[in-house]
């Protein structure tokens, strides 16, 4: 995917390192600007659906979560196209669809139209995230590719935090119309930020044309399937924390639930940044075991926390653990995928995040309602550990087969 003139010829040289960092920052900056079009509507849309559309909590949940369907479906397709045509084209198409969906909010005056627009938004978001992730991996030195795999997610967390604040402010200043205008404008600004970023265009090697070649192109996603299942199971913990922590702590008369979620996000960003120098020094299997164990311990603490400090500790451990889960499991994918079809594998792997969120949310909600929030957090911890066990068993089976 990355042409030889893009990858640093000698990653140890200061000049090559500066070039890599500059190009990476360009892609990440463009991603943040485009992703802001998604993030800025997060605080405003539930209020708009309830107030202006006159719909209830069930409809709000549907509107806010339905985009995960198309995001998950489009990511493998976007990855395959990034392999074939380069990341710039796929990124720009994704950002363009995001901008179109931002303008589409003006026309979303019924539940059906709103759902259709959110499905459209999911297509754009999936293409954007897939291409951006592949891009930063392919321009990174080989020793840093596993760490680079988590950079887009880190930027998204920061952008989401800023977007929530901005969205609330825009509603106060100019109402929902101003929020929707921002959602339409910022993806276009993201495209403009890519003017000098190098592309990664490269056709996959020795693939025949026609339908057979296309099928073989998508077969590059196969290395992502088992690590993807483990990733989806670990993201049950993400759903538990982000969706249920505030209300669970409130029922225990523990104030500050929102601060707990913020601690999680901050811990994840700091841990992912700090992990860069160490990713090549620890074995992938050990990284996976340590990170998922930290996540599980954090979930257990959240499940039993009746004081704020204990909940904050649990959230911090979760953030540190989940910061490394995606890059470590992704390292399995990078090593197993062929160079010419790595994009399809990485994009498919990322789609399992949406699969974990979309399946984990309803399941954990049912458990919370029937058995309580402590049981729900414990189930999320068990699911995360199950993902770790799957990875360990499958890796050992492959090692014996080899």
């Amino acid at each position: 995917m990355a042409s030889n003139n893009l990858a640093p010829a000698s990653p140890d040289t200061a000049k090559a390192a500066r070039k890599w960092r500059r190009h990476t920052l360009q892609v990440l900056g463009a991603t943040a600007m485009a992703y802001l079009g998604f993030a800025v509507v997060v605080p405003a849309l539930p209020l708009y659906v309830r107030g202006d559309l006159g719909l209830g909590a069930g409809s709000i949940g549907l509107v806010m979560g339905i985009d995960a369907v198309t995001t998950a479906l489009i990511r493998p397709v976007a990855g395959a196209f990034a392999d074939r045509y380069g990341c710039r084209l796929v990124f720009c198409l994704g950002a363009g669809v995001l901008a179109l969906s931002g303008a589409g909010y003006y026309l979303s005056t019924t539940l059906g139209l709103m759902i259709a627009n959110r499905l459209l938004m999911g297509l754009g978001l999936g293409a954007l995230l897939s291409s951006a992730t592949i891009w930063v991996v392919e321009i990174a030195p080989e020793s840093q590719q596993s760490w680079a795999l988590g950079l887009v997610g880190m930027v998204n967390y920061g952008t989401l935090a800023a977007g929530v604040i901005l969205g609330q402010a825009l509603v106060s200043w100019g109402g929902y119309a101003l929020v929707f205008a921002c959602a339409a404008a910022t993806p276009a600004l993201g495209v403009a930020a890519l003017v000098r970023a190098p592309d990664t265009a490269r056709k996959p090697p020795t693939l025949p044309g026609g339908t057979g070649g296309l099928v073989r192109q998508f077969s590059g996603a196969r290395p992502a399937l088992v690590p993807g299942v483990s990733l989806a199971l670990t993201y049950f913990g993400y759903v538990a924390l982000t969706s249920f922590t505030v209300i669970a702590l409130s029922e225990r008369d523990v104030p500050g639930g929102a601060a707990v979620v913020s601690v999680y996000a901050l811990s994840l960003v700091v841990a992912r940044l700090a992990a860069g120098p160490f990713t090549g020094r620890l074995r992938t299997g050990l990284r996976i075991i340590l990170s998922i164990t930290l996540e599980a311990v954090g979930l257990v603490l959240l499940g039993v926390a009746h004081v704020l400090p204990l909940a904050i500790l649990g959230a911090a451990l979760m953030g540190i653990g989940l910061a490394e889960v995606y890059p470590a499991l992704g390292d399995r994918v990078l090593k197993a995928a062929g160079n010419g079809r790595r994009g399809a594998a990485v994009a498919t792997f990322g789609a399992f995040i949406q699969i974990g969120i979309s399946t984990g949310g309803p399941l954990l909600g049912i458990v919370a309602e029937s058995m309580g929030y402590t049981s729900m957090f414990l189930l999320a911890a068990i699911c995360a550990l199950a993902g770790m066990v799957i990875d360990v068993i499958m890796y050992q089976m492959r090692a014996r087969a080899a």
Side-chain angles (χ1 to χ4, degrees), residues 80 207 212-225 337 341 344-345 348:
L207 285 183
L214 187 61
V215 170
R216 288 186 59 190
Q217 176 72 28
F218 284 103
S219 71
R222 189 176 302 166
L225 298 183
R341 284 173 277 176
T348 302

Side-chain angles (χ1 to χ4, degrees), residues 41 45 48 101-108 114 117-118 121 180 183:
V41 303
L45 205 56
Y48 177 78
S101 69
Y105 286 119
Y106 289 108
L107 304 176
S108 301
M114 179 61 76
N117 193 56
R118 292 289 287 181
M121 188 273 295
F180 299 157

